[in-house]
Amino acid sequence: MPFIMAKVNSKITSKQKLQLKTGLGKAISFVPGKSEDVLMVGIEDQYDLYLRGDGEQALAYISVAIYGTPQHEGYIKLNLAITELFYKTLHINPENIFIDYEDIKVWGTSGYLIDENGVHVPEGIVDD
């Protein structure tokens, strides 16, 4: 499951949030095997961000965490698509858009642990 968390220091309208969510859903498809169907997105506006001591200019810090892509296939196109999306949607200059990539090696969901060896089912999951 890829996760993209965007933090910007300006106000984002509901319409812009939808545009960003939709655009990120399209952009993640540059990474083989990833799509909006498995993407989780978080968008936080009016976040206190400062660059070189200045918090007045429009800034974006975007964290992209992806499982199972150690060779970073598609990341160059993904990076450009994210940059263009935030520039076109929020008018943030590309020089003020910073994207951090994290390789997820192990993750869990529904009580299961997932890693390079597969899905690990724990004993004793309790149903409510």
Short mmCIF file of all heavy atoms in Angstrom, two decimals, residues 28-90:
data_model
loop_
_atom_site.label_atom_id
_atom_site.label_comp_id
_atom_site.label_asym_id
_atom_site.label_seq_id
_atom_site.Cartn_x
_atom_site.Cartn_y
_atom_site.Cartn_z
N ILE A 28 0.50 7.78 -9.03
CA ILE A 28 1.07 6.58 -8.42
C ILE A 28 1.13 5.43 -9.43
O ILE A 28 1.95 4.52 -9.29
CB ILE A 28 0.31 6.16 -7.14
CG1 ILE A 28 1.16 5.20 -6.29
CG2 ILE A 28 -1.04 5.53 -7.47
CD1 ILE A 28 2.39 5.82 -5.69
N SER A 29 0.33 5.50 -10.48
CA SER A 29 0.33 4.43 -11.49
C SER A 29 1.64 4.39 -12.30
O SER A 29 1.87 3.43 -13.02
CB SER A 29 -0.87 4.58 -12.43
OG SER A 29 -0.75 5.74 -13.22
N PHE A 30 2.49 5.40 -12.17
CA PHE A 30 3.80 5.34 -12.81
C PHE A 30 4.69 4.29 -12.16
O PHE A 30 5.66 3.83 -12.76
CB PHE A 30 4.50 6.70 -12.78
CG PHE A 30 3.94 7.70 -13.76
CD1 PHE A 30 3.32 8.85 -13.30
CD2 PHE A 30 4.02 7.47 -15.12
CE1 PHE A 30 2.78 9.77 -14.19
CE2 PHE A 30 3.49 8.38 -16.02
CZ PHE A 30 2.87 9.53 -15.57
N VAL A 31 4.36 3.90 -10.95
CA VAL A 31 5.11 2.86 -10.26
C VAL A 31 4.45 1.52 -10.59
O VAL A 31 3.26 1.34 -10.31
CB VAL A 31 5.12 3.11 -8.73
CG1 VAL A 31 5.87 1.99 -8.02
CG2 VAL A 31 5.71 4.47 -8.42
N PRO A 32 5.18 0.61 -11.20
CA PRO A 32 4.59 -0.68 -11.59
C PRO A 32 3.89 -1.38 -10.43
O PRO A 32 4.43 -1.46 -9.32
CB PRO A 32 5.79 -1.49 -12.08
CG PRO A 32 6.78 -0.46 -12.53
CD PRO A 32 6.60 0.70 -11.57
N GLY A 33 2.67 -1.84 -10.69
CA GLY A 33 1.91 -2.59 -9.71
C GLY A 33 1.15 -1.72 -8.71
O GLY A 33 0.48 -2.25 -7.83
N LYS A 34 1.25 -0.40 -8.83
CA LYS A 34 0.56 0.49 -7.90
C LYS A 34 -0.55 1.24 -8.64
O LYS A 34 -0.43 1.54 -9.81
CB LYS A 34 1.52 1.50 -7.26
CG LYS A 34 2.74 0.88 -6.61
CD LYS A 34 2.39 -0.12 -5.53
CE LYS A 34 3.65 -0.74 -4.94
NZ LYS A 34 3.39 -1.87 -4.10
N SER A 35 -1.62 1.54 -7.90
CA SER A 35 -2.74 2.27 -8.49
C SER A 35 -3.50 2.98 -7.39
O SER A 35 -3.25 2.78 -6.19
CB SER A 35 -3.69 1.31 -9.23
OG SER A 35 -4.37 0.50 -8.29
N GLU A 36 -4.47 3.79 -7.77
CA GLU A 36 -5.29 4.49 -6.78
C GLU A 36 -6.06 3.50 -5.91
O GLU A 36 -6.39 3.79 -4.76
CB GLU A 36 -6.26 5.45 -7.48
CG GLU A 36 -7.05 6.31 -6.51
CD GLU A 36 -7.90 7.36 -7.18
OE1 GLU A 36 -8.27 7.19 -8.36
OE2 GLU A 36 -8.21 8.36 -6.51
N ASP A 37 -6.31 2.31 -6.45
CA ASP A 37 -7.06 1.29 -5.70
C ASP A 37 -6.35 0.87 -4.41
O ASP A 37 -7.00 0.35 -3.50
CB ASP A 37 -7.30 0.05 -6.56
CG ASP A 37 -8.28 0.30 -7.69
OD1 ASP A 37 -9.06 1.28 -7.59
OD2 ASP A 37 -8.26 -0.46 -8.66
N VAL A 38 -5.04 1.05 -4.34
CA VAL A 38 -4.29 0.65 -3.14
C VAL A 38 -3.62 1.85 -2.46
O VAL A 38 -2.85 1.68 -1.52
CB VAL A 38 -3.22 -0.42 -3.47
CG1 VAL A 38 -3.89 -1.71 -3.93
CG2 VAL A 38 -2.24 0.07 -4.53
N LEU A 39 -3.90 3.05 -2.92
CA LEU A 39 -3.25 4.26 -2.41
C LEU A 39 -4.02 4.89 -1.25
O LEU A 39 -5.24 5.05 -1.33
CB LEU A 39 -3.13 5.29 -3.54
CG LEU A 39 -2.55 6.66 -3.17
CD1 LEU A 39 -1.10 6.54 -2.72
CD2 LEU A 39 -2.68 7.62 -4.35
N MET A 40 -3.30 5.28 -0.22
CA MET A 40 -3.86 6.09 0.86
C MET A 40 -3.23 7.47 0.76
O MET A 40 -2.02 7.60 0.56
CB MET A 40 -3.55 5.48 2.23
CG MET A 40 -4.16 6.28 3.38
SD MET A 40 -3.77 5.56 5.00
CE MET A 40 -4.90 4.16 5.00
N VAL A 41 -4.05 8.52 0.87
CA VAL A 41 -3.59 9.90 0.74
C VAL A 41 -3.99 10.69 1.98
O VAL A 41 -5.12 10.55 2.46
CB VAL A 41 -4.20 10.57 -0.52
CG1 VAL A 41 -3.86 12.05 -0.58
CG2 VAL A 41 -3.75 9.86 -1.79
N GLY A 42 -3.09 11.51 2.45
CA GLY A 42 -3.37 12.46 3.52
C GLY A 42 -2.98 13.85 3.04
O GLY A 42 -1.94 14.01 2.41
N ILE A 43 -3.82 14.83 3.31
CA ILE A 43 -3.53 16.20 2.91
C ILE A 43 -3.75 17.10 4.12
O ILE A 43 -4.84 17.11 4.70
CB ILE A 43 -4.43 16.65 1.74
CG1 ILE A 43 -4.22 15.74 0.53
CG2 ILE A 43 -4.16 18.12 1.38
CD1 ILE A 43 -5.20 15.96 -0.60
N GLU A 44 -2.71 17.81 4.50
CA GLU A 44 -2.79 18.71 5.64
C GLU A 44 -2.46 20.12 5.17
O GLU A 44 -1.34 20.38 4.72
CB GLU A 44 -1.82 18.25 6.72
CG GLU A 44 -2.01 18.96 8.03
CD GLU A 44 -1.22 18.31 9.16
OE1 GLU A 44 -0.70 17.19 8.99
OE2 GLU A 44 -1.12 18.94 10.21
N ASP A 45 -3.44 21.01 5.25
CA ASP A 45 -3.19 22.40 4.84
C ASP A 45 -2.96 23.28 6.07
O ASP A 45 -3.10 22.84 7.20
CB ASP A 45 -4.32 22.94 3.96
CG ASP A 45 -5.65 23.06 4.68
OD1 ASP A 45 -5.82 22.53 5.79
OD2 ASP A 45 -6.56 23.69 4.10
N GLN A 46 -2.55 24.49 5.81
CA GLN A 46 -2.24 25.48 6.84
C GLN A 46 -1.26 24.92 7.88
O GLN A 46 -1.35 25.20 9.07
CB GLN A 46 -3.53 25.98 7.50
CG GLN A 46 -4.41 26.71 6.51
CD GLN A 46 -5.68 27.23 7.13
OE1 GLN A 46 -6.42 26.49 7.77
NE2 GLN A 46 -5.94 28.52 6.92
N TYR A 47 -0.33 24.13 7.41
CA TYR A 47 0.70 23.53 8.24
C TYR A 47 1.85 24.53 8.36
O TYR A 47 2.23 25.17 7.38
CB TYR A 47 1.19 22.22 7.59
CG TYR A 47 2.10 21.40 8.44
CD1 TYR A 47 1.61 20.55 9.41
CD2 TYR A 47 3.48 21.47 8.27
CE1 TYR A 47 2.44 19.78 10.19
CE2 TYR A 47 4.33 20.70 9.04
CZ TYR A 47 3.82 19.87 10.00
OH TYR A 47 4.65 19.11 10.77
N ASP A 48 2.42 24.68 9.53
CA ASP A 48 3.52 25.61 9.71
C ASP A 48 4.78 25.07 9.04
O ASP A 48 5.40 24.12 9.54
CB ASP A 48 3.80 25.85 11.20
CG ASP A 48 2.68 26.61 11.89
OD1 ASP A 48 1.95 27.36 11.20
OD2 ASP A 48 2.54 26.46 13.12
N LEU A 49 5.12 25.64 7.89
CA LEU A 49 6.34 25.29 7.16
C LEU A 49 7.16 26.55 6.96
O LEU A 49 6.61 27.60 6.62
CB LEU A 49 6.00 24.70 5.78
CG LEU A 49 5.40 23.30 5.73
CD1 LEU A 49 4.98 22.96 4.31
CD2 LEU A 49 6.40 22.27 6.24
N TYR A 50 8.46 26.41 7.12
CA TYR A 50 9.37 27.55 6.92
C TYR A 50 10.54 27.07 6.07
O TYR A 50 11.06 25.97 6.28
CB TYR A 50 9.90 28.06 8.26
CG TYR A 50 8.80 28.50 9.18
CD1 TYR A 50 8.21 27.61 10.07
CD2 TYR A 50 8.33 29.81 9.15
CE1 TYR A 50 7.19 28.00 10.91
CE2 TYR A 50 7.30 30.22 9.99
CZ TYR A 50 6.73 29.31 10.87
OH TYR A 50 5.72 29.71 11.70
N LEU A 51 10.94 27.88 5.13
CA LEU A 51 12.09 27.58 4.29
C LEU A 51 13.03 28.78 4.36
O LEU A 51 12.62 29.91 4.07
CB LEU A 51 11.66 27.33 2.83
CG LEU A 51 12.80 27.03 1.85
CD1 LEU A 51 13.55 25.76 2.25
CD2 LEU A 51 12.24 26.89 0.44
N ARG A 52 14.26 28.51 4.79
CA ARG A 52 15.24 29.58 4.98
C ARG A 52 14.68 30.67 5.90
O ARG A 52 14.89 31.86 5.69
CB ARG A 52 15.70 30.15 3.64
CG ARG A 52 16.48 29.12 2.81
CD ARG A 52 16.99 29.68 1.50
NE ARG A 52 15.99 29.78 0.46
CZ ARG A 52 15.50 28.77 -0.26
NH1 ARG A 52 15.91 27.56 -0.02
NH2 ARG A 52 14.61 28.96 -1.20
N GLY A 53 13.92 30.26 6.91
CA GLY A 53 13.35 31.17 7.88
C GLY A 53 12.10 31.90 7.44
O GLY A 53 11.52 32.67 8.19
N ASP A 54 11.65 31.63 6.22
CA ASP A 54 10.49 32.34 5.66
C ASP A 54 9.31 31.39 5.57
O ASP A 54 9.39 30.34 4.94
CB ASP A 54 10.85 32.88 4.28
CG ASP A 54 9.71 33.61 3.59
OD1 ASP A 54 8.70 33.92 4.24
OD2 ASP A 54 9.85 33.89 2.39
N GLY A 55 8.20 31.79 6.17
CA GLY A 55 6.98 30.99 6.10
C GLY A 55 5.90 31.65 5.27
O GLY A 55 4.77 31.17 5.24
N GLU A 56 6.24 32.74 4.60
CA GLU A 56 5.25 33.50 3.82
C GLU A 56 5.06 32.95 2.41
O GLU A 56 4.00 33.09 1.82
CB GLU A 56 5.64 34.98 3.76
CG GLU A 56 5.64 35.67 5.12
CD GLU A 56 4.27 35.62 5.79
OE1 GLU A 56 3.26 35.90 5.12
OE2 GLU A 56 4.23 35.30 7.00
N GLN A 57 6.09 32.36 1.85
CA GLN A 57 5.97 31.82 0.50
C GLN A 57 5.26 30.47 0.55
O GLN A 57 5.31 29.77 1.55
CB GLN A 57 7.35 31.69 -0.15
CG GLN A 57 8.31 30.82 0.63
CD GLN A 57 9.72 30.88 0.08
OE1 GLN A 57 9.91 31.00 -1.12
NE2 GLN A 57 10.71 30.80 0.95
N ALA A 58 4.57 30.12 -0.52
CA ALA A 58 3.86 28.85 -0.60
C ALA A 58 4.87 27.71 -0.63
O ALA A 58 5.79 27.71 -1.45
CB ALA A 58 2.97 28.81 -1.83
N LEU A 59 4.68 26.74 0.27
CA LEU A 59 5.59 25.61 0.40
C LEU A 59 4.81 24.31 0.48
O LEU A 59 3.68 24.29 0.98
CB LEU A 59 6.42 25.74 1.69
CG LEU A 59 7.29 26.97 1.85
CD1 LEU A 59 7.80 27.06 3.29
CD2 LEU A 59 8.44 26.95 0.87
N ALA A 60 5.43 23.23 0.02
CA ALA A 60 4.84 21.90 0.15
C ALA A 60 5.92 20.90 0.51
O ALA A 60 7.01 20.90 -0.08
CB ALA A 60 4.15 21.48 -1.14
N TYR A 61 5.61 20.05 1.49
CA TYR A 61 6.46 18.92 1.84
C TYR A 61 5.60 17.68 1.66
O TYR A 61 4.54 17.54 2.27
CB TYR A 61 6.97 19.01 3.27
CG TYR A 61 7.91 17.87 3.60
CD1 TYR A 61 9.25 17.94 3.24
CD2 TYR A 61 7.45 16.73 4.22
CE1 TYR A 61 10.10 16.89 3.51
CE2 TYR A 61 8.29 15.67 4.50
CZ TYR A 61 9.63 15.77 4.15
OH TYR A 61 10.47 14.71 4.40
N ILE A 62 6.05 16.79 0.79
CA ILE A 62 5.26 15.62 0.42
C ILE A 62 6.08 14.37 0.72
O ILE A 62 7.22 14.25 0.27
CB ILE A 62 4.87 15.68 -1.07
CG1 ILE A 62 4.08 16.96 -1.33
CG2 ILE A 62 4.08 14.45 -1.48
CD1 ILE A 62 4.22 17.49 -2.73
N SER A 63 5.49 13.47 1.47
CA SER A 63 6.16 12.23 1.81
C SER A 63 5.46 11.09 1.07
O SER A 63 4.25 10.94 1.15
CB SER A 63 6.09 12.01 3.32
OG SER A 63 6.75 10.82 3.66
N VAL A 64 6.26 10.30 0.36
CA VAL A 64 5.73 9.18 -0.43
C VAL A 64 6.35 7.90 0.12
O VAL A 64 7.57 7.73 0.07
CB VAL A 64 6.07 9.35 -1.92
CG1 VAL A 64 5.53 8.18 -2.74
CG2 VAL A 64 5.56 10.68 -2.46
N ALA A 65 5.53 7.04 0.67
CA ALA A 65 6.00 5.76 1.21
C ALA A 65 5.41 4.64 0.36
O ALA A 65 4.20 4.57 0.16
CB ALA A 65 5.57 5.61 2.67
N ILE A 66 6.30 3.77 -0.14
CA ILE A 66 5.85 2.71 -1.05
C ILE A 66 6.50 1.39 -0.65
O ILE A 66 7.70 1.32 -0.40
CB ILE A 66 6.21 3.04 -2.52
CG1 ILE A 66 5.62 4.40 -2.92
CG2 ILE A 66 5.70 1.95 -3.45
CD1 ILE A 66 6.01 4.85 -4.32
N TYR A 67 5.69 0.35 -0.62
CA TYR A 67 6.15 -1.00 -0.30
C TYR A 67 6.51 -1.74 -1.59
O TYR A 67 5.81 -1.65 -2.60
CB TYR A 67 5.05 -1.77 0.43
CG TYR A 67 5.36 -3.23 0.63
CD1 TYR A 67 6.26 -3.62 1.62
CD2 TYR A 67 4.79 -4.21 -0.16
CE1 TYR A 67 6.57 -4.96 1.82
CE2 TYR A 67 5.08 -5.55 0.03
CZ TYR A 67 5.98 -5.92 1.01
OH TYR A 67 6.28 -7.24 1.20
N GLY A 68 7.63 -2.47 -1.54
CA GLY A 68 7.96 -3.41 -2.61
C GLY A 68 8.52 -2.80 -3.88
O GLY A 68 8.34 -3.37 -4.95
N THR A 69 9.21 -1.67 -3.79
CA THR A 69 9.80 -1.06 -4.99
C THR A 69 11.24 -0.63 -4.72
O THR A 69 11.59 0.54 -4.89
CB THR A 69 8.97 0.16 -5.44
OG1 THR A 69 8.91 1.10 -4.37
CG2 THR A 69 7.58 -0.23 -5.88
N PRO A 70 12.11 -1.56 -4.34
CA PRO A 70 13.49 -1.18 -3.99
C PRO A 70 14.29 -0.62 -5.16
O PRO A 70 15.27 0.09 -4.93
CB PRO A 70 14.09 -2.48 -3.46
CG PRO A 70 13.28 -3.56 -4.10
CD PRO A 70 11.90 -3.00 -4.23
N GLN A 71 13.89 -0.90 -6.38
CA GLN A 71 14.61 -0.38 -7.54
C GLN A 71 14.10 1.00 -7.98
O GLN A 71 14.63 1.61 -8.89
CB GLN A 71 14.51 -1.36 -8.72
CG GLN A 71 14.98 -2.76 -8.41
CD GLN A 71 16.42 -2.79 -7.89
OE1 GLN A 71 17.23 -1.97 -8.20
NE2 GLN A 71 16.71 -3.81 -7.08
N HIS A 72 13.03 1.48 -7.31
CA HIS A 72 12.45 2.81 -7.56
C HIS A 72 11.97 2.99 -9.00
O HIS A 72 12.02 4.10 -9.53
CB HIS A 72 13.44 3.91 -7.17
CG HIS A 72 13.94 3.75 -5.78
ND1 HIS A 72 15.27 3.88 -5.45
CD2 HIS A 72 13.30 3.44 -4.61
CE1 HIS A 72 15.43 3.68 -4.15
NE2 HIS A 72 14.24 3.41 -3.63
N GLU A 73 11.45 1.93 -9.57
CA GLU A 73 10.91 2.01 -10.93
C GLU A 73 9.74 2.99 -10.97
O GLU A 73 8.85 2.94 -10.12
CB GLU A 73 10.43 0.64 -11.39
CG GLU A 73 11.54 -0.34 -11.66
CD GLU A 73 10.98 -1.69 -12.08
OE1 GLU A 73 10.39 -1.76 -13.18
OE2 GLU A 73 11.13 -2.64 -11.31
N GLY A 74 9.76 3.88 -11.95
CA GLY A 74 8.68 4.83 -12.15
C GLY A 74 8.76 6.07 -11.28
O GLY A 74 7.96 6.99 -11.41
N TYR A 75 9.73 6.14 -10.39
CA TYR A 75 9.82 7.27 -9.46
C TYR A 75 10.12 8.60 -10.17
O TYR A 75 9.66 9.64 -9.71
CB TYR A 75 10.89 7.02 -8.40
CG TYR A 75 10.47 6.11 -7.26
CD1 TYR A 75 9.57 5.06 -7.45
CD2 TYR A 75 10.99 6.29 -5.99
CE1 TYR A 75 9.20 4.23 -6.42
CE2 TYR A 75 10.62 5.45 -4.94
CZ TYR A 75 9.75 4.43 -5.16
OH TYR A 75 9.38 3.61 -4.13
N ILE A 76 10.88 8.57 -11.22
CA ILE A 76 11.21 9.82 -11.93
C ILE A 76 9.93 10.44 -12.49
O ILE A 76 9.67 11.64 -12.30
CB ILE A 76 12.26 9.58 -13.04
CG1 ILE A 76 13.60 9.20 -12.40
CG2 ILE A 76 12.41 10.81 -13.92
CD1 ILE A 76 14.66 8.74 -13.39
N LYS A 77 9.10 9.63 -13.14
CA LYS A 77 7.83 10.14 -13.67
C LYS A 77 6.87 10.51 -12.55
O LYS A 77 6.15 11.50 -12.64
CB LYS A 77 7.20 9.12 -14.61
CG LYS A 77 7.93 8.98 -15.93
CD LYS A 77 7.26 7.98 -16.83
CE LYS A 77 8.01 7.84 -18.14
NZ LYS A 77 7.36 6.88 -19.03
N LEU A 78 6.85 9.72 -11.48
CA LEU A 78 6.01 10.02 -10.33
C LEU A 78 6.40 11.37 -9.72
O LEU A 78 5.54 12.20 -9.43
CB LEU A 78 6.14 8.91 -9.28
CG LEU A 78 5.47 9.15 -7.93
CD1 LEU A 78 3.96 9.30 -8.09
CD2 LEU A 78 5.82 8.02 -6.96
N ASN A 79 7.68 11.58 -9.56
CA ASN A 79 8.19 12.83 -8.98
C ASN A 79 7.77 14.03 -9.81
O ASN A 79 7.29 15.04 -9.27
CB ASN A 79 9.72 12.75 -8.87
CG ASN A 79 10.29 13.81 -7.98
OD1 ASN A 79 10.14 13.74 -6.77
ND2 ASN A 79 10.92 14.81 -8.57
N LEU A 80 7.92 13.93 -11.12
CA LEU A 80 7.52 15.03 -12.00
C LEU A 80 6.01 15.25 -11.95
O LEU A 80 5.54 16.40 -11.89
CB LEU A 80 7.96 14.76 -13.44
CG LEU A 80 7.59 15.83 -14.47
CD1 LEU A 80 8.19 17.18 -14.09
CD2 LEU A 80 8.01 15.40 -15.86
N ALA A 81 5.23 14.17 -11.95
CA ALA A 81 3.77 14.29 -11.91
C ALA A 81 3.31 14.97 -10.63
O ALA A 81 2.40 15.81 -10.65
CB ALA A 81 3.13 12.91 -12.06
N ILE A 82 3.90 14.62 -9.50
CA ILE A 82 3.54 15.24 -8.23
C ILE A 82 3.89 16.72 -8.24
O ILE A 82 3.10 17.57 -7.83
CB ILE A 82 4.20 14.51 -7.04
CG1 ILE A 82 3.62 13.11 -6.87
CG2 ILE A 82 4.04 15.32 -5.75
CD1 ILE A 82 4.35 12.25 -5.86
N THR A 83 5.08 17.04 -8.72
CA THR A 83 5.52 18.43 -8.79
C THR A 83 4.57 19.25 -9.65
O THR A 83 4.12 20.33 -9.25
CB THR A 83 6.96 18.52 -9.33
OG1 THR A 83 7.82 17.78 -8.47
CG2 THR A 83 7.43 19.96 -9.41
N GLU A 84 4.25 18.75 -10.83
CA GLU A 84 3.34 19.46 -11.73
C GLU A 84 1.95 19.61 -11.12
O GLU A 84 1.32 20.66 -11.25
CB GLU A 84 3.24 18.73 -13.08
CG GLU A 84 4.48 18.87 -13.92
CD GLU A 84 4.41 18.11 -15.23
OE1 GLU A 84 3.55 17.20 -15.38
OE2 GLU A 84 5.22 18.42 -16.13
N LEU A 85 1.48 18.59 -10.44
CA LEU A 85 0.15 18.62 -9.82
C LEU A 85 0.07 19.73 -8.77
O LEU A 85 -0.89 20.51 -8.76
CB LEU A 85 -0.16 17.26 -9.18
CG LEU A 85 -1.46 17.16 -8.40
CD1 LEU A 85 -2.67 17.33 -9.32
CD2 LEU A 85 -1.52 15.81 -7.68
N PHE A 86 1.04 19.83 -7.91
CA PHE A 86 1.01 20.85 -6.86
C PHE A 86 1.25 22.25 -7.42
O PHE A 86 0.69 23.22 -6.91
CB PHE A 86 2.00 20.50 -5.74
CG PHE A 86 1.44 19.50 -4.77
CD1 PHE A 86 1.34 18.16 -5.11
CD2 PHE A 86 0.97 19.90 -3.53
CE1 PHE A 86 0.78 17.23 -4.23
CE2 PHE A 86 0.42 18.99 -2.65
CZ PHE A 86 0.31 17.65 -2.99
N TYR A 87 2.02 22.33 -8.48
CA TYR A 87 2.22 23.62 -9.14
C TYR A 87 0.92 24.09 -9.80
O TYR A 87 0.48 25.22 -9.60
CB TYR A 87 3.35 23.54 -10.16
CG TYR A 87 3.51 24.81 -10.96
CD1 TYR A 87 4.01 25.97 -10.36
CD2 TYR A 87 3.17 24.86 -12.30
CE1 TYR A 87 4.15 27.15 -11.09
CE2 TYR A 87 3.31 26.03 -13.03
CZ TYR A 87 3.80 27.16 -12.42
OH TYR A 87 3.93 28.33 -13.14
N LYS A 88 0.30 23.21 -10.56
CA LYS A 88 -0.91 23.59 -11.30
C LYS A 88 -2.12 23.79 -10.36
O LYS A 88 -2.94 24.67 -10.60
CB LYS A 88 -1.25 22.53 -12.35
CG LYS A 88 -0.28 22.53 -13.51
CD LYS A 88 -0.59 21.42 -14.50
CE LYS A 88 0.41 21.41 -15.63
NZ LYS A 88 0.22 20.28 -16.53
N THR A 89 -2.23 22.99 -9.33
CA THR A 89 -3.39 23.05 -8.44
C THR A 89 -3.28 24.15 -7.38
O THR A 89 -4.24 24.87 -7.13
CB THR A 89 -3.62 21.69 -7.75
OG1 THR A 89 -3.71 20.67 -8.75
CG2 THR A 89 -4.90 21.70 -6.92
N LEU A 90 -2.09 24.28 -6.79
CA LEU A 90 -1.91 25.22 -5.68
C LEU A 90 -0.98 26.39 -6.00
O LEU A 90 -0.75 27.24 -5.15
CB LEU A 90 -1.39 24.48 -4.44
CG LEU A 90 -2.24 23.32 -3.93
CD1 LEU A 90 -1.57 22.66 -2.73
CD2 LEU A 90 -3.65 23.79 -3.58
#
